[in-house]
Structures are given as C-alpha cells and as structure tokens.
Amino acid sequence: MNKLCTVVFVVFAFAKAYPQGPPITEDSPMLLGAGSYTIRVISESRKLDIGNATYIPLMLHYLPTSNTEVSVNVPYLNYDLNGVSGSGLADIRLTGKYQFYRKDGKAKTFRMDAKTVQTLPTGDKLDLMDLSMGIYSGYYGIVAGYESLKIGITSELGYNWMPDGTLDVLQLKAGVGWPLLEPQYPNKQLNLYFETANMWQTERNSYQFMYAQGIQYARKDITIDLSYQIPVFQDISEGPEFKRSIFIGGRFNF
C-alpha cells in the first residue's frame, strides 16, 4: 500500500510539475491541457554598443487542443540609441505550435513541436533583432525537449526569413534546467537554467553565441523568472554589438 501511494504521488507530482518549469530565454515543446491559458510578462533590459533598450512584452498563450498552441505578443519598447530616444509599440508577434511527437515514460517525457512566428512591422525601424525591426519576418522551426523529475533539456532549430530586409537568421538554441528541490505537491520548484543561443545572420555574414544563466521559482500556477545573458563570442559585420541582457518576469497559468 505504501509503495502504491508513493508511485501515485510521484506520477501526480510530475504531471503537475513539468509544465511549471519552462525555460526562461528559450521555448519549450511541453504544452498544457486543452482550453488552458498562460499570461506572461518577461522584460528584457538590453545593453548595446550604441545604447540601451528596455523591452516589455505582454504575451497571451492559448491551447485550442492538447497538441496545439497559439499566442500573441504585444510589446512595449523604450530605447536610447546613438543619442536618439523614444518609446512605444514594438513589433507584434503571432506564434503557432503543433506537437507532432510525444513519448511518455515513467516520470519522464520527450516531445517535439513544429513552430512558426509571424512578426508584424508595427515597431520602429531600429535594427534591433527580436525587439524592433519594423520589417515583416517569418520564423519556422522545430522545438524538442526532454523532461524528468531530475532534469529538463530543450533545443530549437529554426530559420527566420525577412524577405524585405537583410536579417535572415539561422538559429540553434539549447538549454538545461536543473531542479534544486525534490518534487512535491502542491507544486513548488526552484530551478536553475543554463541556456545557449547560436545565431548565424546569413545575409550579413555575422555570428553570435550567447549564454544565459537563470533562476526560476514556481509555486502552483505561477513562475517568477530571472536571467542574465552575455555574449560568449560574436562577429558582427553590420548592426549593433550586443553587450548583455537582464530578463525579469513571470507567468500565470489558468
């Protein structure tokens, strides 16, 4: 009887836990149940060689079914670049994901999603990648992830196509999440995240390799995120040079 109770607890704790620890600067293929919503705000304070920019996106995610997700990102941007400052709406993003592969085991799961992001040119033309380009672009990629009670591993490979601009980007992201607390119910987590991003700007012949160190606290349906990102290596032939970013925010599932 005790063994049965232990197994039931572990399975239930895992089922409730794995959606609560998504990556901070990356994406995850783990989807919540059909009909669920997530609201997320994750501000980025980015320092560049030409100035500073603060990006505050309001994101709403919705799952029409258990294996599909759609989201909208309406962001606010404040910047001071080369002595020119301003604020207002940045580029709006519409995201869709479809989970085409899932394999579950005992307290572990592996999943893969097809993903697209359509970036609308609603922001200023500031040449700030992922913030405000003021030019339409379409991103297409694959997100894969493995999660167990002891570790989470995510990766993403994709291409951002900008038909009327010069910022086509091939990107490869990978990260590891390491829980510091034992699984428990109600859900309570403290996680460390080690996240990397490789970005090849194919038309500009530029390359960036970024590393982000993050920490996340999760309690029931809420997470609080903090991450610090730095360039490990970059060779920029055109556009601003990245110095560092600080991410602060959280999310609420309902």
Side-chain angles (χ1 to χ4, degrees), residues 14 18 30 102-105 107-111 145-148:
F14 177 70
Y18 75 76
M30 310 298 168
R102 172 175 177 172
K103 183 175 183 180
D104 297 330
K108 62 184 178 181
T109 184
F110 176 77
R111 305 183 191 187
Y146 167 85
E147 287 197 11
S148 70

Side-chain angles (χ1 to χ4, degrees), residues 4-204:
L4 177 60
C5 290
T6 301
V7 170
V8 170
F9 168 79
V10 169
V11 172
F12 189 50
F14 177 70
K16 298 293 289 184
Y18 75 76
Q20 299 302 322
I24 299 174
T25 65
E26 300 178 8
D27 203 354
S28 170
M30 310 298 168
L31 304 182
L32 299 177
S36 61
Y37 292 86
T38 298
I39 293 177
R40 188 186 188 200
V41 177
I42 180 77
S43 67
E44 178 185 357
S45 178
R46 184 182 297 186
K47 183 175 178 60
L48 305 158
D49 62 340
I50 60 172
N52 303 282
T54 300
Y55 180 78
I56 306 175
L58 176 60
M59 294 174 276
L60 176 63
H61 303 255
Y62 171 65
L63 276 78
T65 67
S66 61
N67 64 343
T68 58
E69 179 183 277
V70 292
S71 66
V72 58
N73 173 356
V74 181
Y76 169 82
L77 181 69
N78 180 274
Y79 60 89
D80 185 356
L81 305 170
N82 286 325
V84 177
S85 60
S87 61
L89 182 67
D91 294 335
I92 293 176
R93 297 181 192 172
L94 306 175
T95 301
K97 291 199 294 184
Y98 172 71
Q99 188 174 99
F100 63 88
Y101 182 80
R102 172 175 177 172
K103 183 175 183 180
D104 297 330
K106 184 177 179 181
K108 62 184 178 181
T109 184
F110 176 77
R111 305 183 191 187
M112 298 181 71
D113 295 359
K115 174 182 174 181
T116 182
V117 181
Q118 301 299 307
T119 300
L120 308 181
T122 54
D124 294 334
K125 293 185 177 181
L126 301 176
D127 202 32
L128 296 178
M129 186 169 61
D130 295 330
L131 300 189
S132 186
M133 294 295 297
I135 303 174
Y136 164 81
S137 66
Y139 171 83
Y140 310 92
I142 299 292
V143 185
Y146 167 85
E147 287 197 11
S148 70
L149 295 176
K150 295 183 178 180
I151 196 171
I153 302 172
T154 58
S155 63
E156 180 175 348
L157 176 65
Y159 191 81
N160 188 73
W161 174 58
M162 186 176 289
D164 297 322
T166 62
L167 201 60
D168 284 15
V169 179
L170 174 65
Q171 70 173 31
L172 172 62
K173 296 183 177 182
V176 174
W178 182 34
L180 300 179
L181 302 178
E182 292 295 323
Q184 53 189 291
Y185 181 80
N187 179 59
K188 182 180 179 180
Q189 295 185 24
L190 184 64
N191 305 311
L192 290 179
Y193 283 94
F194 311 87
E195 300 173 318
T196 63
N198 294 269
M199 289 170 285
W200 293 270
Q201 300 175 13
T202 56
E203 292 186 83
R204 298 184 180 184

